[in-house]
Amino acid sequence: MNKKIILIVAAIAFIALAAGLFARQYFAVPEAGKSTPQINFSLPDLADTPQSVTQWQGKILIINFWATWCPPCLKEIPEFIKLQDEYKDKGVQFVGIAIEDKQPVEDYLKRIKINYPVLIGGEGATMLAQQLGNVINTVPFTVIINQQGQIVHHQLGELTREKVLEVIAPLLTAK
């Protein structure tokens, strides 16, 4: 009986250690001042016009990967709309990247007016999200990029207003 308990505790400890090492390897935030590769990609907007992310260079860029079939994605969009209104004159730019085809996005945008660029990434956007740190392939997924083009925050799952403000506050004062 006692040997079984010891084995169970040892197994749990081993699993916890392995999970911690995995999390440390894949969810580590780059050290302050450590350079990260510049982000450079183009995706079409709803008019099928390619939009390069470099057009927002020098701004605090909040890139949100989302889908119309994702309830947490749809829940955070109204808050992103408000934040875009509040911070657009302070150099903050939201960009939505839909990980689906254009038609469902157009249908959704007939019901809600989004005041920031929405790009159509289709299924290929999941690869881009992975390159930007979405190690578990989830939506919503958001990255916040500073004015120098460095990723300063990854958010797997829903991003709250409070977290956005916490991350961008020091970037706004760093100008």
Side-chain angles (χ1 to χ4, degrees), residues 106-159:
E106 286 180 327
D107 293 344
Y108 176 72
L109 293 177
K110 289 175 186 171
R111 298 188 311 265
I112 184 168
K113 180 162 173 46
I114 295 181
N115 60 352
Y116 52 85
V118 174
L119 308 180
I120 306 300
E123 301 227 355
T126 57
M127 179 80 89
L128 175 60
Q130 287 173 351
Q131 292 170 352
L132 296 178
N134 189 352
V135 296
I136 60 173
N137 206 21
T138 189
V139 287
F141 171 69
T142 306
V143 292
I144 300 178
I145 301 165
N146 68 12
Q147 297 93 325
Q148 292 75 41
Q150 300 167 321
I151 295 173
V152 295
H153 183 75
H154 298 89
Q155 183 71 39
L156 298 166
E158 191 177 334
L159 181 61

Side-chain angles (χ1 to χ4, degrees), residues 53-142:
V53 71
T54 58
Q55 69 185 295
W56 300 296
Q57 197 169 12
K59 294 186 175 203
I60 299 167
L61 188 57
I62 302 172
I63 301 175
N64 175 249
F65 291 84
W66 68 286
T68 60
W69 45 260
C70 165
C73 299
L74 303 182
K75 180 180 176 194
E76 64 186 4
I77 287 174
E79 199 58 57
F80 291 168
I81 292 168
K82 290 177 194 171
L83 286 163
Q84 180 64 57
D85 270 341
E86 293 172 35
Y87 288 91
K88 66 182 172 193
D89 294 334
K90 295 179 180 162
V92 175
Q93 181 63 58
F94 280 79
V95 175
I97 299 178
I99 60 162
E100 60 190 320
D101 294 328
K102 185 167 124 176
Q103 190 59 54
V105 176
E106 286 180 327
D107 293 344
Y108 176 72
L109 293 177
K110 289 175 186 171
R111 298 188 311 265
I112 184 168
K113 180 162 173 46
I114 295 181
N115 60 352
Y116 52 85
V118 174
L119 308 180
I120 306 300
E123 301 227 355
T126 57
M127 179 80 89
L128 175 60
Q130 287 173 351
Q131 292 170 352
L132 296 178
N134 189 352
V135 296
I136 60 173
N137 206 21
T138 189
V139 287
F141 171 69
T142 306

Side-chain angles (χ1 to χ4, degrees), residues 14 43 48 57 102 116 140 164 175:
F14 176 77
L43 291 170
D48 294 320
Q57 197 169 12
K102 185 167 124 176
Y116 52 85
V164 169
K175 283 186 155 183

Side-chain angles (χ1 to χ4, degrees), residues 159-170:
L159 181 61
T160 64
R161 175 185 179 84
E162 292 75 22
K163 188 64 176 179
V164 169
L165 295 177
E166 175 188 320
V167 174
I168 70 170

